[in-house]
């Protein structure tokens, strides 16, 4: 195949980013798109010159001749989309988080795996050009602690409803959790807590602030913090510590400090098109080695965030039988 013919299911915010870079790839063609929001669909279709549009993705899968499908629906809206796409044998790119519940997501994973189709999940941070040198540098050290942050303001709409987005940890901070899994290692146990003392508005059901504790299989520990109640912004990134090693990693670059030297690297690429390039290359060649996050890996990250959220309900209560000064 010289040119990959692409279809979209869901053409809202994130799809705009994917459509932008795909429209510039010489070996990709935007062929069809679908969205249940007719106005949004019409706007995207016009902006990207796509004539073949659908209100129901099943019609698109039946009628359009596609080499790959991007699934860019919100976390609560996955339904049976993945199963229906892979039933046509078409490679699939699914935006993160892949679902809000493990049980249906595991079934989707098994269906995708058994179908053998090329699959990718949108954990785009893995594609930053700082990640390979970071992983190389960490290979010489035993990481002992990671502190992550996704601390800023709140997007609107479904994002603010916990039953629709999964909450900030599951929907947004998942990028930082995924980066920690990718560069530090797999997680064996989780814990955490959350707080909302001054809600961001009258209708939001997500928590203002949370901490997720990660206990890595290799013995390292971590805490990933989230806040959507800081409209003035704060920070997004991951700090990593080993003996005599400090790493400060953000999307914009990283600094690695030892007692002897400081290494600085600014990010030199755009993670979105880099992620798309890897997927389209895999679709065209059949070689999936360029894909850094497949559905199974995306599912592992989902599991950590969902279980950390569940762990919020459990805590060890102090049973203090004395008061200082008595
Ligand atoms: N990788 C990233 O950095 C990144 C950034 C933003 C969003 N996301 C993820 O992308 C997903 C979508 O987020 P968004 O911000 O684009 O949301 P959005 O609400 O802007 O867009 C989602 C679109 O999907 C459509 N839709 C819903 N159900 C549908 C269905 N059954 N068939 C067809 N269309 C349907 C909606 O009408 C809407 O237009 C979320 O899972 C989000 O977490 C990822």
């Amino acid at each position: 195949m010289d040119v990959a013919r692409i279809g979209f299911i869901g053409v809202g915010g994130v799809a705009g980013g994917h459509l932008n870079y795909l429209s510039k790839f010489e070996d990709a063609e935007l062929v069809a798109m679908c969205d249940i929001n007719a106005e949004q669909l019409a706007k995207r279709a016009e902006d990207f010159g796509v004539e073949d549009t659908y209100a129901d993705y099943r019609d698109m899968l039946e009628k359009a001749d596609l080499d790959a499908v991007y699934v860019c629906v919100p976390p609560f809206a996955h339904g049976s989309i993945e199963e229906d796409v892979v039933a046509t044998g078409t490679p699939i790119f699914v935006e993160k988080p892949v679902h809000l519940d493990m049980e249906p997501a595991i079934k989707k994973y098994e269906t995708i795996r058994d179908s053998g189709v090329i699959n990718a999940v949108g954990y785009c941070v893995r594609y930053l050009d700082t990640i390979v040198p970071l992983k190389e540098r960490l290979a010489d050290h035993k990481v002992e602690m990671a502190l992550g942050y996704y601390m800023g303001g709140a997007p609107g709409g479904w994002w603010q409803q916990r039953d629709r987005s999964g909450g900030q940890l599951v929907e947004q901070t998942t990028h930082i959790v995924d980066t920690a899994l990718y560069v530090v290692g797999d997680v064996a146990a989780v814990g955490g807590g959350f707080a909302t003392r001054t809600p961001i508005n009258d209708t939001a059901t997500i928590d203002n602030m949370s901490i997720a504790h990660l206990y890595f299989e290799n013995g390292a520990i971590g805490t990933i913090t989230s806040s959507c109640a800081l409209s003035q912004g704060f920070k997004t990134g991951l700090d990593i510590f080993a003996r005599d090693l400090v790493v400060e990693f953000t999307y914009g670059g990283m600094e690695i400090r030892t007692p002897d030297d400081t290494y600085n690297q600014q990010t030199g690429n755009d993670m979105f098109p880099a992620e798309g390039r890897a997927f389209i290359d895999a679709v065209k060649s059949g070689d999936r080695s360029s894909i850094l996050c497949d559905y199974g890996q995306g599912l592992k990250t989902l599991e950590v965030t969902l279980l950390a959220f569940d762990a919020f309900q459990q805590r060890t209560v102090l049973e203090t039988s004395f008061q200082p000064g008595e």
Side-chain angles (χ1 to χ4, degrees), residues 83-288:
E83 290 87 335
D84 294 338
V85 172
V86 303
T88 66
T90 312
I92 186 169
F93 178 100
V94 184
E95 261 305 344
K96 46 54 59 181
V98 294
H99 209 276
L100 295 180
D101 293 299
M102 280 308 286
E103 209 181 302
I106 289 170
K107 288 201 177 113
K108 285 176 186 292
Y109 161 71
E110 289 169 353
T111 305
I112 293 169
R113 182 198 60 198
D114 295 348
S115 75
V117 302
I118 285 167
N119 56 93
V121 171
Y123 281 107
C124 45
V125 181
R126 294 185 183 217
Y127 295 88
L128 287 174
D129 66 358
T130 43
I131 290 285
V132 169
L134 173 59
K135 281 170 79 85
E136 282 171 4
R137 192 71 180 248
L138 291 179
D140 299 333
H141 298 266
K142 288 184 178 165
V143 172
E144 286 167 355
M145 188 161 74
L147 299 177
Y149 316 86
Y150 212 121
M151 310 270 288
W158 55 261
W159 195 91
Q160 297 184 3
Q161 303 308 313
R162 187 196 278 181
D163 62 344
R164 313 219 101 197
S165 66
Q168 190 181 7
L169 174 66
V170 172
E171 203 280 346
Q172 191 176 52
T173 315
T174 187
H175 277 302
I176 303 300
V177 173
D178 183 70
T179 306
L181 295 184
Y182 193 49
V183 302
V184 178
D186 285 343
V187 162
V190 292
F194 52 80
T196 306
R197 300 184 72 193
T198 310
I200 54 168
N201 59 47
D202 293 341
T203 53
T205 55
I206 44 162
D207 295 294
N208 280 11
M209 316 229 173
S210 68
I211 47 175
H213 299 310
L214 309 182
Y215 302 90
F216 293 90
E217 285 177 5
N218 61 19
I221 51 173
T223 294
I224 312 293
T225 59
S226 304
S227 175
C228 62
L230 305 172
S231 50
Q232 74 278 41
F234 185 52
K235 67 175 170 180
T236 300
L238 186 66
D239 296 337
I240 300 167
F241 307 91
R243 184 176 161 192
D244 290 335
L245 183 85
V246 173
V247 178
E248 286 184 82
F249 170 86
T250 68
Y251 294 178
M254 67 173 169
E255 184 166 293
I256 301 178
R257 295 193 293 277
T258 69
D260 305 319
D261 69 81
T262 297
Y263 171 80
N264 257 298
Q265 185 179 340
Q266 295 302 302
T267 299
N269 70 341
D270 184 341
M271 55 188 170
F272 250 44
E275 170 185 69
R277 185 71 265 158
F279 178 59
I280 299 300
D281 283 349
V283 167
K284 287 178 60 194
S285 67
D287 173 2
R288 52 188 85 196

Side-chain angles (χ1 to χ4, degrees), residues 32-47:
M33 52 174 63
C34 105
D35 201 297
I36 52 173
N37 178 334
E39 205 179 318
Q40 181 67 16
L41 179 63
K43 183 183 173 315
R44 290 288 191 220
E46 189 185 340
D47 287 352

